[in-house]
Amino acid sequence: MILYSVKDGQYYNIDGFKQDLSDMTEKGFAPKVYVNITNRCTCACTFCLRNTKEMNEHNNLWIEKEPEAEEIIAEFEKYDWSGLEEIVFCGFGEPSMRIDTVLEVAKYLKKKHPQVPTRMNTNGSGNRYQGRDITKELKGLIDTISISLNASDKKKYYEVTKSRYGEEAYDDMLEFAVKCQEYVPNVVLSVVDCIGEEEIAACRKVCEERGLKLRVRQFES
Ligand code: SF4
């Protein structure tokens, strides 16, 4: 599925909702739509839901073919999504590996309903993967960028993410986050709550030293 919504850790194709999506909240869903853009990733996190989540009809985000921007836009065109609280580029992979497609779709979203906020969830490897500074391209198109911090130092980071770029990926990710602050209104780094108080405090310090916000989120197994 290309566009989906989430409830209780399960993923639902939005084709199960009314055309105006008015029944999302009635059915207990947050009024948010997620865009599943790729299954590829520059990391191979030990906790990645792609490996750990049991698959059934409501949580299978594997896609056989990555959707082109036109296909994603055609999906949005089927609905009146003017009342959504957020549209999120996410899925079972790293969206910045397809940043050109993300931005083409975001451009359409901002033109059609500029009041609907956009977010990209990322591991922060976009600049390294694309070989250019993509942060300035996010300006006016992405309102929130949520970056997985995962750990308080590069060694621990590599142990959990197994990034293809090795331990250097940690500094790349932090540099990416700092650069994003120039172009994206809301930049948030995140860790999961199961890493322990001490490690959370160390992560908070990493963020504070760089003027970045930290969000501690619930671990989803
Ligand atoms: S960065 Fe995200 S998608 Fe990539 S391996 Fe880690 S958890 Fe999975």
Side-chain angles (χ1 to χ4, degrees):
M1 50 189 158
I2 298 177
L3 301 183
Y4 66 100
S5 191
V6 183
K7 188 168 88 168
D8 301 330
Q10 306 275 293
Y11 310 118
Y12 295 81
N13 196 321
I14 71 161
D15 67 6
F17 298 106
K18 288 180 186 163
Q19 190 272 340
D20 64 1
L21 303 180
S22 61
D23 54 339
M24 280 183 97
T25 43
E26 287 158 22
K27 290 178 177 168
F29 287 80
K32 299 180 181 207
V33 163
Y34 295 79
V35 186
N36 188 17
I37 204 154
T38 184
N39 290 154
R40 293 178 290 141
C41 191
T42 52
C43 292
C45 299
T46 52
F47 56 83
C48 183
L49 294 174
R50 300 184 302 176
N51 312 323
T52 61
K53 209 167 175 77
E54 194 189 321
M55 296 295 164
N56 65 35
E57 63 167 324
H58 287 315
N59 61 18
N60 197 341
L61 292 183
W62 290 109
I63 38 180
E64 281 174 15
K65 179 188 158 291
E66 293 182 336
E68 298 300 330
E70 302 74 44
E71 293 172 67
I72 301 168
I73 290 169
E75 285 299 307
F76 275 109
E77 284 288 309
K78 293 179 186 169
Y79 305 94
D80 171 8
W81 43 272
S82 58
L84 288 179
E85 270 179 15
E86 199 174 33
I87 292 171
V88 188
F89 294 92
C90 184
F92 269 2
E94 172 47 45
S96 69
M97 293 178 84
R98 300 197 62 216
I99 196 66
D100 294 340
T101 305
V102 167
L103 296 179
E104 196 176 332
V105 175
K107 215 171 272 179
Y108 153 82
L109 297 174
K110 285 295 174 197
K111 197 168 170 196
K112 184 126 185 179
H113 295 302
Q115 80 286 0
V116 179
T118 53
R119 166 162 49 113
M120 182 167 80
N121 291 352
T122 175
N123 63 19
S125 66
N127 283 358
R128 176 71 174 254
Y129 178 79
Q130 298 293 349
R132 67 178 197 268
D133 180 6
I134 64 167
T135 61
K136 54 186 75 152
E137 299 167 32
L138 307 175
K139 191 175 178 179
L141 298 176
I142 301 294
D143 300 297
T144 295
I145 188 138
S146 178
I147 305 168
S148 305
L149 175 62
N150 287 308
S152 62
D153 66 49
K154 58 173 76 177
K155 198 165 181 313
K156 287 186 202 142
Y157 179 84
Y158 180 67
E159 271 167 26
V160 293
T161 65
K162 308 287 183 217
S163 168
R164 68 168 68 167
Y165 305 120
E167 292 183 7
E168 276 179 35
Y170 189 68
D171 293 332
D172 287 347
M173 174 269 298
L174 285 172
E175 192 185 324
F176 178 81
V178 169
K179 281 190 172 157
C180 276
Q181 292 192 108
E182 261 187 76
Y183 307 105
V184 178
N186 192 25
V187 179
V188 185
L189 274 78
S190 73
V191 290
V192 282
D193 56 2
C194 60
I195 60 175
E197 285 304 312
E198 207 176 309
E199 178 63 355
I200 289 174
C203 288
R204 203 174 296 287
K205 188 161 176 276
V206 168
C207 289
E208 282 169 3
E209 284 168 357
R210 293 162 179 83
L212 295 161
K213 265 185 282 184
L214 180 72
R215 182 169 83 94
V216 181
R217 61 186 170 84
Q218 206 178 13
F219 178 66
E220 188 195 337
S221 59

